[in-house]
Amino acid sequence: MMAANENLPPNVIKQLAKELKNLNETPPEGIKVIVNDDGFSTIYADIEGPAGTPYENGIFRMRLLLSHDFPCSPPKGYFMTKIFHPNIATNGEICVNTLKKDWTPSLGLRHVLTVIRCLLIEPFPESALNEQAGKMLLEDYEEYARHARLYTGIHALKPKLKPETGVRSESTTGRNVDQKDTVCSGRALLPPNPLTVQDQNVVVVSATEPSVRAQAIQRKEGVVAVKAHVDKKRMDARKKSLRRL
């Protein structure tokens, strides 16, 4: 860290450390400063695309490069994430007055980062580094916004959290088990029949039961017929015996 900070005076390093600590504890809206373990000469930050702009839902990484005579001279700002914006060159260089003619040593990192985020809300096409974006913004805002959203979706879209797989809530698991039991149970699939309900238990009548009953009836009728035939023979035998007497 000392090698990276060799060009910065001790009092500047102390002030930067204080500023970074403050930015980390109370960050500006939509801005997250990333601590650089290599020193204070390069400051990194993630900027959220402001709502209602073509950069919404995007996260843009940028960096500020501090020269040896900082804060007498302004830092240089660069976007590391590709972005379609009039005031940001294709190489990421940022063009804003705060980092040029309007710079004063009293301006801190918080002010610089806030101004850069505001640039995403209100571009200045009159001082464009990206001429295509500046011209498009002036002539056809909808086309400009479409290009900017396309770049945001490709290069800066927030990663979506993937839902955990193989984890189900207890209620869902129980519901699935109940559904499975319902599907696998022949009783639950059949509608209740008032004629086959006994003690609130559903009795499923087999499709083959009517034929079984018919066979039983036929057998019973056959037994009755045989018995009648035997009885007739007995009566005839008794009649013959009486005639002999």
Side-chain angles (χ1 to χ4, degrees), residues 50-105:
T53 72
Y55 311 104
E56 185 175 1
N57 296 325
I59 297 290
F60 301 88
R61 175 68 56 87
M62 63 150 299
R63 63 179 176 176
L64 293 174
L65 301 180
L66 280 56
S67 62
H68 66 281
D69 57 349
F70 176 85
C72 294
S73 63
K76 292 184 178 181
Y78 294 88
F79 268 77
M80 302 172 68
T81 304
K82 287 182 179 291
I83 184 172
F84 188 77
H85 190 287
N87 305 114
I88 301 170
T90 54
N91 68 348
E93 183 182 355
I94 302 170
C95 177
V96 63
N97 288 336
T98 300
L99 299 181
K100 293 187 177 182
K101 64 179 183 179
D102 291 343
W103 173 259
T104 62

Side-chain angles (χ1 to χ4, degrees), residues 85-89 95 124-135 138:
H85 190 287
N87 305 114
I88 301 170
C95 177
F124 295 97
E126 295 80 6
S127 57
L129 287 181
N130 185 328
E131 294 183 1
Q132 179 189 10
K135 183 178 180 182
L138 291 172

Side-chain angles (χ1 to χ4, degrees), residues 185-206:
S185 172
R187 293 182 179 180
L189 290 176
L190 293 175
N193 187 338
L195 299 178
T196 59
V197 175
Q198 299 176 354
D199 298 332
Q200 297 182 348
N201 291 325
V202 178
V203 177
V204 181
V205 179
S206 172

Side-chain angles (χ1 to χ4, degrees), residues 204-212:
V204 181
V205 179
S206 172
T208 60
E209 188 169 344
S211 61
V212 173

Side-chain angles (χ1 to χ4, degrees), residues 19-27 33 35 110:
E19 277 199 74
L20 291 173
K21 183 176 183 293
N22 181 264
L23 285 169
N24 186 53
E25 293 176 349
T26 57
V33 176
V35 177
R110 180 180 295 270

Side-chain angles (χ1 to χ4, degrees), residues 99-117:
L99 299 181
K100 293 187 177 182
K101 64 179 183 179
D102 291 343
W103 173 259
T104 62
S106 61
L107 296 178
L109 296 178
R110 180 180 295 270
H111 178 79
V112 172
L113 294 171
T114 302
V115 167
I116 291 174
R117 187 170 189 265

